[in-house]
């Protein structure tokens, strides 16, 4: 029967002593002590030798085993996610007051005109210990307008006859009616109305309004719209007068 070999180091007290320590150590101090001891124990170093070299390594391994945690440390508690400041396109265009919920607090915050998605709104003194808080901003579409970067987007129904014959198209935008001329037989999918996007703010330039033309049989043409207005104003009594 083969004899069982004895361990090089039998206790952590002896292990610390082999590393030149008078008591337990950890972290950088323990690593530094091991490096100094293993360098001095090398067979080619004065006073070193193979036996001492093995014992220093065994001491290091024993300390690592004895001091290793029995279970994984509990994960650090993640900081609560910051609320997103949601703006509709009108608030992004003109600014205004929005409600922000911070935990149990509800704050009414004034936002400047021209905020874009991805930017941050600064709330002075609203964080822990009176620190400033920076909340991310998201401009959400409202079914009429949507925002991407500096620009706004909308859809405009267009009569099929106007797309075929061409003529003036009146577009009801957030800044009032705007006119565009369509060429008969040429059907652009999108028009750009310069300067009708989000206002300039800081280094961000003024954006544009992109209008997607949507062919529709129900949309009244400009001529039909004028006829409707005429019949509303010029009643038979006024025509007879």
């Amino acid at each position: 029967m083969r004899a069982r070999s004895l361990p090089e180091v039998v206790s952590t007290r002896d292990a610390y002593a082999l590393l030149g320590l008078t008591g337990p150590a950890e972290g950088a101090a323990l690593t530094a002590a091991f490096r100094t001891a293993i360098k001095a124990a090398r067979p080619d170093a004065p006073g070193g030798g193979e036996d001492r070299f093995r014992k220093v390594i065994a001491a290091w391994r024993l300390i690592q085993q004895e001091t290793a945690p029995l279970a994984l440390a509990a994960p650090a508690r993640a900081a609560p996610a910051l609320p997103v400041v949601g703006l509709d396109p009108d608030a992004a265009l003109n600014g205004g007051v929005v409600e922000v919920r911070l935990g149990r607090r509800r704050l009414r915050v004034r936002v400047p005109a021209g905020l874009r998605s991805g930017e941050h709104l600064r709330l002075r003194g609203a964080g822990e210990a009176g620190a400033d808080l920076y909340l991310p901003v998201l401009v959400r579409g409202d079914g009429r307008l949507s925002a991407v970067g500096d620009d706004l987007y909308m859809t405009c129904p267009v009569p099929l006859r106007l797309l075929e014959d061409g003529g003036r198209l009146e577009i009801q935008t957030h800044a009032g009616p705007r006119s565009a001329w369509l060429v008969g037989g040429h059907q652009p999918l999108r028009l750009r109305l310069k300067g009708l996007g989000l206002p300039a703010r800081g280094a961000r330039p003024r954006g544009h309004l992109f209008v997607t033309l949507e062919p529709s049989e129900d949309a009244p043409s400009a001529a039909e719209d004028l006829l409707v207005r005429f019949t509303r104003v010029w009643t038979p009594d006024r025509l007879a007068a």
Side-chain angles (χ1 to χ4, degrees):
M1 184 175 179
R2 187 176 179 180
R4 189 175 182 180
S5 60
L6 296 175
E8 298 282 354
V9 183
V10 296
S11 68
T12 53
R13 181 177 180 180
D14 293 341
Y16 284 118
L18 282 168
L19 298 186
L21 298 169
T22 57
E26 59 183 16
L30 179 61
T31 302
F34 169 71
R35 289 176 178 174
T36 301
I38 199 67
K39 185 177 181 180
R42 287 168 46 185
D44 58 344
E50 293 183 1
D51 183 63
R52 183 180 174 188
F53 190 80
R54 288 197 308 270
K55 286 185 176 182
V56 170
I57 294 178
W60 171 257
R61 290 175 177 172
L62 179 61
I63 293 173
Q64 292 295 307
Q65 292 175 1
E66 294 292 334
T67 59
L70 298 179
L72 294 176
R77 187 174 181 180
L82 294 175
V84 175
V85 180
L87 304 179
D88 59 29
D90 285 337
L93 278 165
N94 307 309
V97 177
V98 297
E99 186 176 272
V100 178
R101 187 169 183 176
L102 293 176
R104 297 181 179 180
R105 294 184 296 166
R106 289 190 177 185
L107 306 178
R108 290 181 61 81
V109 181
R110 181 170 295 278
V111 298
L115 280 177
R116 273 78 163 162
S117 291
E119 294 185 332
H120 288 76
L121 180 65
R122 178 185 178 186
L123 302 185
R124 294 184 178 181
E128 295 183 2
D132 292 346
L133 200 60
Y134 294 84
L135 302 182
V137 173
L138 175 63
V139 182
R140 300 186 176 97
D142 61 359
R144 181 179 59 93
L145 285 174
S146 60
V148 178
D150 305 322
D151 303 319
L152 295 175
Y153 293 81
M154 65 171 289
T155 300
C156 177
V158 182
L160 293 175
R161 182 180 300 178
L162 185 59
L163 290 174
E164 295 171 358
D165 300 339
R168 186 176 68 88
L169 172 64
E170 187 174 90
I171 304 170
Q172 297 296 329
T173 74
H174 62 85
R178 293 293 187 274
S179 296
W181 287 92
L182 303 181
V183 179
H186 178 69
Q187 299 184 10
L189 298 178
R190 181 176 290 172
L191 300 176
R192 184 182 70 168
L193 302 183
K194 294 182 179 180
L196 293 187
L198 294 177
R201 181 173 181 271
R204 303 296 292 265
R206 175 176 288 275
H208 308 298
L209 173 63
F210 290 89
V211 183
T212 300
L213 303 183
E214 186 176 73
S216 173
E217 296 181 355
D218 299 329
S221 66
E224 292 172 345
D225 185 55
L226 288 175
L227 180 59
V228 170
R229 295 181 186 180
F230 177 82
T231 55
R232 287 177 180 174
V233 175
W234 292 96
T235 61
D237 295 337
R238 294 192 64 178
L239 290 173

